[in-house]
Amino acid sequence: MKRPIIVTAVLSAATVLVGAVALAQRPAAPPQPRLVLPAVDRFAPGACRDAAEAVRSLARLTHRDDVAALSVADRAELRRVQDRLVALGPAATPEVREPIEAVVLSLGYLRIRLDSRTAEPRYLRDVETARALLQKTCVSDRGRRG
């Protein structure tokens, strides 16, 4: 009768060992790429340059890609950025105004979802997509935009 108990114990130990090895060999989540932001002076003069700090600040918040990690201070920063971009929109040229409005709109959706505790990562990704387009619009072809 001792043999079945020993065999069962050995098989259980082997199963645990195989499971532990499988977990240890599973690749970890890939590290996030380093956030590299253009300097403020690389933004075209005018509305783009005026929006540069807001765009850079927003990038720091959206880079994490973790909506649950947004603190009360982060939420206040989202509002400050949104207010700043709303103020800049009317004076911007149409090619800059449209990306500004896209950021403002996506920020609005994110903030509503955060307030109602129904935010999902896709809302943060939407803000980042709009923010990246605004940055690309403002940093490329310097001197043409504003």
Side-chain angles (χ1 to χ4, degrees):
M1 281 301 212
K2 290 185 179 184
R3 282 206 160 173
I5 294 173
I6 293 172
V7 170
T8 303
V10 169
L11 286 175
S12 295
T15 303
V16 169
L17 182 61
V18 168
V21 169
L23 284 175
Q25 290 181 348
R26 189 179 75 189
Q32 277 191 321
R34 189 171 154 259
L35 180 61
V36 178
L37 297 171
V40 171
D41 64 356
R42 292 211 36 231
F43 285 74
C48 282
R49 179 87 41 91
D50 295 341
E53 280 305 324
V55 170
R56 291 166 47 90
S57 175
L58 193 53
R60 291 182 198 99
L61 294 174
T62 59
H63 181 69
R64 290 180 278 195
D65 196 36
D66 183 6
V67 73
L70 292 174
S71 68
V72 172
D74 293 338
R75 291 177 187 200
E77 182 62 9
L78 290 173
R79 180 178 181 167
R80 188 196 68 76
V81 166
Q82 188 178 33
D83 289 346
R84 177 69 175 144
L85 294 176
V86 165
L88 293 173
T93 62
E95 68 180 346
V96 174
R97 187 178 314 121
E98 288 180 20
I100 285 176
E101 290 172 352
V103 173
V104 168
L105 184 64
S106 62
L107 275 170
Y109 285 132
L110 174 62
R111 291 182 55 222
I112 287 170
R113 291 298 193 142
L114 286 169
D115 289 347
S116 65
R117 295 185 176 94
T118 59
E120 298 173 9
R122 69 183 170 113
Y123 293 103
L124 196 59
R125 286 191 298 269
D126 290 348
V127 171
E128 174 51 24
T129 299
R131 185 215 63 82
L133 178 61
L134 176 57
Q135 179 179 305
K136 181 179 178 185
T137 300
C138 285
V139 173
S140 64
D141 300 322
R142 269 188 65 172
R144 273 192 28 200
R145 305 204 189 325

